[in-house]
Amino acid sequence: MTPDNHTTPNSGTPSGDNVKRQRLTVLFIFLGALLLGLVIWLAISAISANRSLNAERAEREQMMLDMEQRDLEREYQELNDEFAQFEDSRKFIKNDSLKRELSEKYESARLQVERLQQELTSQKAKSAAEIRKLRDEIETLRGLLRHYVEEIDRLNRENQALRDENATIKQENSQLSSRVAETTRRNEQLSERMTLAEKLNITGLSLGSLNKKGKTEKKISKARQLVATFTIPQNNSTPVGEKTIYMRIISPAGQLLGEAGTFSFEDGNVPYTAKKVIEYAGEEIGGVKIYWDVDASLMAGDYTVELFADNYRLISRSFNLK
């Protein structure tokens, strides 16, 4: 019998199943590593995306807060400008305790708003709480301004009522003053009429020229005398007694003829041409004559005769002498 030294086939090399298992193991390991890498990549990507999303959200929130801050600053400036416009109206409550109280509160709130604005301007990142605090302070200012407006409107209504009442009183006083002035005017007119009634009346005034014989001279250049003739009618209102009648004759050139002296008239002294003293008893005096001796050659033209007595201008009339 031959000794058995025969070995099992392929006993010195791995079997086909083992090789397959080894290959599968390596494949699984590779796939696991690949999957792990993918998971890690996805995780990192997700974290990065989330951070980017959060950053964008935070940036948008800051932009919204910045816009809201600017809107609040604009509202504050508008409120402050509106408050300044009431400076003239606030004089109506200048001494009122309410005005002082409102002014102090408004000033305190205004300073708080400005402080918050400065803090927010200096900060890179704003918070909603700080913006809300600024909005609350501006709402306080708006409420104070509204209170101011209501108070000023109330006082304006009261002042308007007082002005209307004063206007009514002024109108009544004006009407009363008008009645008093009218009564005074009538009394003055009555007094003036009474005074005028006392002065002498002059009628029939004429001016003529005489020659050296005392006869009428037709040519003024040859006249040696001028004579004014007139009548003093009866006047029971004129005080009786001695009356001095002053005559003024004005030449065509506007010069006074002769200078016999002066008389008092309206707080002044007036020169006259000639005068005549009469005794007046309240009865009519006719044919009164006042003469003036010509002292130089006269020219033809219009001559004006004025008569005065008792501080009155009795008459003024012009005559054409040829």
Side-chain angles (χ1 to χ4, degrees), residues 45-249:
S45 297
I47 293 172
S48 177
N50 187 51
R51 287 178 179 175
S52 178
L53 182 62
N54 289 337
E56 291 179 0
R57 184 183 298 111
E59 185 177 358
R60 286 197 300 270
E61 290 178 354
Q62 282 300 310
M63 290 177 61
M64 294 298 293
L65 291 175
D66 289 341
M67 292 176 60
E68 190 171 0
Q69 180 186 354
R70 288 193 292 272
D71 288 342
L72 291 176
E73 290 175 351
R74 178 182 52 78
E75 291 180 17
Y76 163 71
Q77 189 59 49
E78 291 175 354
L79 285 173
N80 216 30
D81 293 342
E82 188 174 355
F83 185 81
Q85 292 176 1
F86 283 96
E87 187 65 35
D88 292 337
S89 300
R90 283 185 289 168
K91 65 184 179 182
F92 294 120
I93 50 176
K94 185 175 181 180
N95 297 322
D96 194 273
S97 60
L98 177 61
K99 191 241 181 175
R100 292 193 297 271
E101 180 182 355
L102 287 173
S103 296
E104 291 173 358
K105 288 183 178 180
Y106 190 92
E107 183 66 16
S108 176
R110 186 182 65 80
L111 292 176
Q112 177 68 3
V113 168
E114 291 183 353
R115 184 183 64 80
L116 290 173
Q117 286 179 333
Q118 292 175 357
E119 291 179 358
L120 288 172
T121 301
S122 63
Q123 294 175 1
K124 293 183 178 180
K126 280 79 174 176
S127 69
E130 291 172 328
I131 296 295
R132 185 166 53 253
K133 186 175 181 181
L134 178 59
R135 179 173 293 281
D136 291 342
E137 291 295 337
I138 289 179
E139 286 299 323
T140 299
L141 287 178
R142 183 175 284 107
L144 288 171
L145 181 59
R146 189 182 304 113
H147 195 174
Y148 247 130
V149 173
E150 292 172 354
E151 184 65 16
I152 290 173
D153 287 343
R154 180 184 68 81
L155 291 172
N156 280 338
R157 288 193 298 271
E158 293 179 359
N159 288 332
Q160 184 60 47
L162 290 175
R163 286 194 292 270
D164 292 342
E165 183 178 354
N166 289 336
T168 301
I169 294 175
K170 287 181 179 179
Q171 183 178 6
E172 293 174 351
N173 289 339
S174 178
Q175 293 173 351
L176 179 60
S177 297
S178 297
R179 289 196 294 270
V180 171
E182 179 64 19
T183 301
T184 302
R185 186 182 64 81
R186 290 178 180 176
N187 290 338
E188 289 176 350
Q189 289 178 344
L190 179 60
S191 176
E192 183 178 357
R193 284 197 297 269
M194 292 177 63
T195 302
L196 290 175
E198 294 179 353
K199 77 172 187 176
L200 290 172
N201 292 324
I202 300 295
T203 61
L205 176 64
S206 64
L207 179 65
S209 57
L210 304 176
N211 57 26
K212 59 182 180 179
K213 295 181 179 181
K215 302 296 182 179
T216 300
E217 176 59 57
K218 293 183 179 181
K219 293 185 178 181
I220 186 64
S221 60
K222 296 181 179 181
R224 294 296 178 265
Q225 277 188 323
L226 294 181
V227 56
T229 305
F230 53 91
T231 297
I232 301 176
Q234 178 182 351
N235 187 350
N236 295 329
S237 298
T238 302
V240 298
E242 187 178 271
K243 306 290 183 182
T244 301
I245 301 177
Y246 298 94
M247 179 179 68
R248 285 168 49 88
I249 301 178

Side-chain angles (χ1 to χ4, degrees), residues 206 227-230 275-276 286-291:
S206 64
V227 56
T229 305
F230 53 91
K275 68 178 181 178
K276 186 177 185 66
V288 181
K289 297 180 182 293
I290 304 179
Y291 295 91

